[in-house]
Amino acid sequence: MTSAAEQRAAAQGRAGQGGAPAAATSGARRPEPPAVAARPGAPTPLGARFRPGPDGTEGTNFALWAGGAEAVQLCLFDDAGRETRVRLTELTHEIWHGFVPGVRPGRRYGYRVHGRWDPWTGARWNPAKLLLDPYARAVDGDYASFGLSPEVYGHVRDWPEQHVADTVRDDRDSAPFVPKGVVVHDDDDWADDRRPKTPWADSVIYELHVRGFTKLHPGIPEELRGTYAGLAHPAAVEHLVRLGVTAVELLPVHQFAHEDHLLRRGLGNYWGYNSIGYFAPHAAYAASGTTGEQVGEFKRMVRALHAAGIEVILDVVYNHTAEAGELGPTLSLKGIDNRGYYRLQDDARRYADYTGCGNTLHVVQPQVLRLITDSLRYWVTEMGVDGFRFDLAAALARSMHDVDMLSPFLAVIAQDPVLRRVKLIAEPWDIGSGGYRVGAFPPLWTEWNDRYRGAVRDFWRGALPDVRDLGYRLSGSSDLYAWGGRRPYASVNFVTAHDGFTLRDLVSYERKHNEANGEQGRDGSDDNRSWNCGAEGETDKEPIRALRRRQLRNLLSTLLLSTGVPMLVAGDELGRTQRGNNNAYCQDNEISWLDWSLLAEPGWRALFELTSRLIALRHRHPVLRRRAFFSGRPHSADGLRDLAWFTARGEEMTEGDWYAPAAALGMYLSGRDIPGRDERGAPILDDSFLAVLHAGDRPVPFVLPGPPWADRYEVVVDTSGEEQAVAPGVVHPAGAAVSVGERAVLLLRVL
């Protein structure tokens, strides 16, 4: 086996550089454009800021952190693409800076950073590569095809000996092939905006994709479909308002790039979990232009949603970037200071990968932590957003190696006066050792609760979990979150998410069907916990179709009646299908886009109406959105226990029942025993409810508990049929044996 030292020497020799680090091997370099001088400027704030100079001259201050670099050139581009280079000679605390008179908003720019090329020690500086400013507030150009251009790689991508290809530097100019940053000036003070500030307990989250939600909407003008302006359009907002959700959680809208392997298959990254610009709204979602106009368009979208009482939460990807591993492109951080921005292995040529995407940002480094927190504050204070969902948040919480709930990232968030006041949602895992941390994030944080997803899916597909497990999930997961002052709304409950089957596919497919992705079935989870109701995929058999619609009603009813914060996925309320694709990350087409014609079909229209009605019911009744965990005890001398569990015989469950599976169970929620007080200091009183969940394949007689629990019950929801689900009102006496249909939810209000 060839040693690392021998490989290094071989690569250096083949590059024709003798004992020096491997260097340029392919293509003639273009003549360098003339350079102009910059004034000293200031090292803060980082990025490009248009402002008057000390003498009143208008221009832009540029500041770039580039630890270890030997020189930095600012590259300015005119409308014809001609480049002018400006050497930044001022260096303050590893920040290169300068003020350039006459540079106004709309000007495109990038950087060339000089330094050693020695990948064996993690040094990957290459001034032939134009680099995106990490603080660029807008990006002009399209990353849809850059991956097919070898010039955007810092190394010779097609070097014949691939095992050392990343060590051989490519000196071809990448500027013609990569998008540029844009100078943006915006003094918007948001004085006319009113944030909804919806309390966590009252929140209902709706996960959507800006492009996919609006692309086929018939009420949105065609030129606005797929854009921020399209989401701001009254037709889009109307659907959200009628549904009743309080927040949209947008799949990534930071500027992102497409992976090389997707582009080679004629596909692209649709979801956007491949960020390259943490301050820039993704340019392809802008209808108004990409030389700064996207910033204003995004803000107008936020304002429109706020005006409708809807918060905006961003799904953010700070755990890795689009530069991938050692064989990935050089677009920004890799060429600015590879060792300063990324976690490297002991073999510094290789990247530590806790994300499955080739690299992991080194968040314990001060400059990386600053980049992330500056970005978060920017989106809150200057772009108006209300919170964040952090992709693979466990990777951000790693100190040197292990996930650490006292990590610098979590500590900084906890004390930041801006960030600690917005909604913070963790995807509480990554793919590294010890990375699954559901229930472990500290107060202030809520979490995607995948244990809720698993238990609810299992129950309704007939793989019955113990009542104990299901009971904890339905009542707020106190076993996971009742510590450190956390509340039931620490649990973001979901049955589906962007990653996996849609709700309709969950009841229509038992196997993934990802052929369109071109990965021979290697992608996507095999653990779907789904049931196809008797036929794989779409079918003309009406009994199966009716059963599937009933299962959708059951799943949505369970989600919206559970304690915690419910999250729906856009289109699940309409019966959206991805044709069995459970990993549609690269499907920017009808597989992923919402089919709004479903609203014209009676069955799917009824599903939408039921979902809207359940959300409205949740908003009306505080017992369904509690701010404190159930105790299982009375909270007043004459009160009932706040939570009780019943068997189909109408009897309270014993310990043996609690630890055994059951196809039918009743959950009694007492509205007379809600802890806390309202804003006026008065006790919180509400109706009491009995929710009966029955996953069996035959109707079951369920005895309604008698006094002191209730004298009479009124049916509020019955999912056994589409008409019953939206036309309740039947009253039953306590003690009656009510027939609960096969696979159904029955919600009754105590009279």
Side-chain angles (χ1 to χ4, degrees), residues 23 46 70 76 148 225 234 247 270 272 326 386 514 534 571 649 716:
L46 291 170
E70 297 172 0
L76 301 171
L148 300 180
R225 296 177 189 174
Y270 171 70
E326 58 270 14
D386 305 285
N514 299 357
R649 299 184 300 276
V716 179

Side-chain angles (χ1 to χ4, degrees), residues 175-256:
F177 306 97
V178 294
K180 282 77 177 173
V182 180
V183 176
V184 174
H185 177 62
D186 185 36
D187 55 2
D188 193 336
D189 62 5
W190 288 90
D192 61 339
D193 181 68
R194 296 292 180 269
R195 293 177 184 262
K197 296 183 180 179
T198 307
W200 259 125
D202 301 339
S203 296
V204 178
I205 297 173
Y206 188 74
E207 187 194 47
L208 68 81
H209 190 288
V210 169
R211 180 169 167 82
F213 183 77
T214 61
K215 185 63 178 174
L216 299 178
H217 197 300
I220 298 174
E222 189 169 353
E223 66 273 14
L224 301 183
R225 296 177 189 174
T227 70
Y228 307 119
L231 184 54
H233 191 273
V237 176
E238 179 191 14
H239 180 81
L240 301 173
V241 171
R242 290 180 59 203
L243 188 58
V245 297
T246 68
V248 291
E249 182 176 304
L250 306 182
L251 267 67
V253 296
H254 288 166
Q255 184 69 46
F256 62 85

Side-chain angles (χ1 to χ4, degrees), residues 449 452 455-456 467-482 487-491 493 558-559 561-565 618 623-632 642-645 658 665-669 691 693:
N449 186 354
Y452 179 94
V456 170
V467 171
R468 177 180 183 274
D469 187 29
L470 181 63
Y472 271 126
R473 304 309 142 232
L474 299 178
S475 60
S477 295
S478 60
D479 58 333
L480 299 176
Y481 300 113
R487 299 297 185 94
Y489 46 77
S491 176
N493 300 330
T558 304
L559 175 64
L561 296 175
S562 296
T563 300
V565 179
R618 185 181 183 90
V623 72
L624 300 177
R625 43 185 173 83
R626 289 172 54 102
R627 289 163 167 77
F629 285 107
F630 294 99
S631 67
D642 58 6
L643 175 68
W645 300 93
W658 186 242
L665 69 153
M667 178 175 66
Y668 186 96
L669 307 172
L693 281 68

Side-chain angles (χ1 to χ4, degrees), residues 95-418:
I95 297 172
W96 299 79
H97 55 91
F99 177 82
V100 185
V103 174
R104 299 183 55 78
R107 190 72 176 271
R108 299 182 304 153
Y109 73 100
Y111 290 104
R112 299 182 187 274
V113 181
H114 298 252
R116 293 187 308 111
W117 174 265
D118 189 8
W120 304 90
T121 63
R124 293 183 178 271
W125 285 286
N126 184 345
K129 308 306 166 185
L130 186 75
L131 306 175
L132 183 68
D133 179 5
Y135 280 73
R137 297 191 173 197
V139 175
D140 181 46
D142 187 7
Y143 277 105
S145 60
F146 83 90
L148 300 180
S149 303
E151 290 85 353
V152 302
Y153 292 77
H155 62 281
V156 180
R157 188 180 65 179
D158 300 323
W159 189 251
E161 296 174 86
Q162 280 292 295
H163 66 289
V164 292
D166 67 290
T167 69
V168 184
R169 196 177 75 189
D170 187 323
D171 277 351
R172 288 175 289 186
D173 185 8
S174 69
F177 306 97
V178 294
K180 282 77 177 173
V182 180
V183 176
V184 174
H185 177 62
D186 185 36
D187 55 2
D188 193 336
D189 62 5
W190 288 90
D192 61 339
D193 181 68
R194 296 292 180 269
R195 293 177 184 262
K197 296 183 180 179
T198 307
W200 259 125
D202 301 339
S203 296
V204 178
I205 297 173
Y206 188 74
E207 187 194 47
L208 68 81
H209 190 288
V210 169
R211 180 169 167 82
F213 183 77
T214 61
K215 185 63 178 174
L216 299 178
H217 197 300
I220 298 174
E222 189 169 353
E223 66 273 14
L224 301 183
R225 296 177 189 174
T227 70
Y228 307 119
L231 184 54
H233 191 273
V237 176
E238 179 191 14
H239 180 81
L240 301 173
V241 171
R242 290 180 59 203
L243 188 58
V245 297
T246 68
V248 291
E249 182 176 304
L250 306 182
L251 267 67
V253 296
H254 288 166
Q255 184 69 46
F256 62 85
H258 302 274
E259 294 91 331
D260 174 84
H261 70 92
L262 291 177
L263 295 170
R264 289 176 181 273
R265 297 202 301 272
L267 300 170
N269 190 316
Y270 171 70
W271 286 349
Y273 290 92
N274 208 37
S275 300
I276 195 60
Y278 290 130
F279 290 77
H282 188 60
Y285 299 160
S288 53
T290 62
T291 54
E293 297 87 353
Q294 61 265 55
V295 177
E297 184 176 330
F298 184 93
K299 291 182 178 183
R300 290 189 292 275
M301 176 197 73
V302 173
R303 277 186 169 86
L305 291 166
H306 282 180
I310 298 170
E311 294 185 302
V312 178
I313 298 170
L314 302 188
D315 194 336
V316 290
V317 189
Y318 294 111
N319 55 76
H320 74 281
T321 76
E323 293 185 300
E326 58 270 14
L327 295 177
T330 297
L331 304 173
S332 182
L333 307 182
K334 186 181 287 187
I336 294 171
D337 187 349
N338 186 56
R339 295 177 297 189
Y341 277 109
Y342 292 116
R343 289 180 180 268
L344 304 180
Q345 299 182 24
D346 292 338
D347 173 4
R349 181 182 155 198
R350 311 293 185 189
Y351 292 76
D353 184 8
Y354 297 114
T355 66
C357 300
N359 64 54
T360 307
L361 281 177
H362 203 353
V363 180
V364 298
Q365 295 280 15
Q367 66 277 4
V368 181
L369 187 57
R370 179 180 181 182
L371 171 67
I372 294 172
T373 53
D374 282 353
S375 168
L376 292 169
R377 282 189 292 268
Y378 171 75
W379 286 96
V380 174
T381 60
E382 299 193 43
M383 300 295 274
V385 307
D386 305 285
F388 305 94
R389 179 265 187 189
F390 292 82
D391 180 66
L392 299 183
L396 299 173
R398 290 185 181 270
S399 290
M400 294 311 295
H401 297 289
D402 296 333
V403 178
D404 178 7
M405 291 304 156
L406 298 175
S407 67
F409 172 74
L410 295 177
V412 166
I413 296 291
Q415 60 78 41
D416 189 283
V418 173

